[in-house]
Amino acid sequence: MAKQTEKQSTEMRYGKLAFIRAPEYAKDRLLLEVLLDESRTYTKEEVDSLLSEWKAKEVQ
């Protein structure tokens, strides 16, 4: 469990604007605009997870 805590503390966290401006997320900018909160920071893994969960949802 200590390793997991260590890993979490060393992961870089970025704000919404950093992800929106990142070239690797260019195709998902509109989704990021809706999914991410201005007042929070996220790791790359968290954002990738949010995007994949949203894309996997069924259309109603």
Side-chain angles (χ1 to χ4, degrees):
M1 187 150 159
K3 287 184 181 183
Q4 186 179 16
T5 305
E6 252 180 56
K7 183 181 177 186
Q8 288 177 348
S9 63
T10 60
E11 290 179 8
M12 295 296 296
R13 300 186 71 82
Y14 302 98
K16 177 179 180 175
L17 193 55
F19 284 103
I20 290 171
R21 290 182 176 171
E24 66 186 277
Y25 291 102
K27 66 181 187 317
D28 295 318
R29 283 189 179 133
L30 185 58
L31 285 176
L32 292 173
E33 194 65 57
V34 174
L35 294 174
L36 301 183
D37 184 2
E38 283 282 338
S39 63
R40 286 195 53 205
T41 58
Y42 303 88
T43 63
K44 183 181 181 312
E45 290 78 22
E46 288 174 325
V47 171
D48 290 342
S49 177
L50 283 170
L51 287 171
S52 64
E53 286 174 15
W54 191 88
K55 289 177 180 180
K57 287 184 179 179
E58 255 186 61
V59 177
Q60 295 181 357

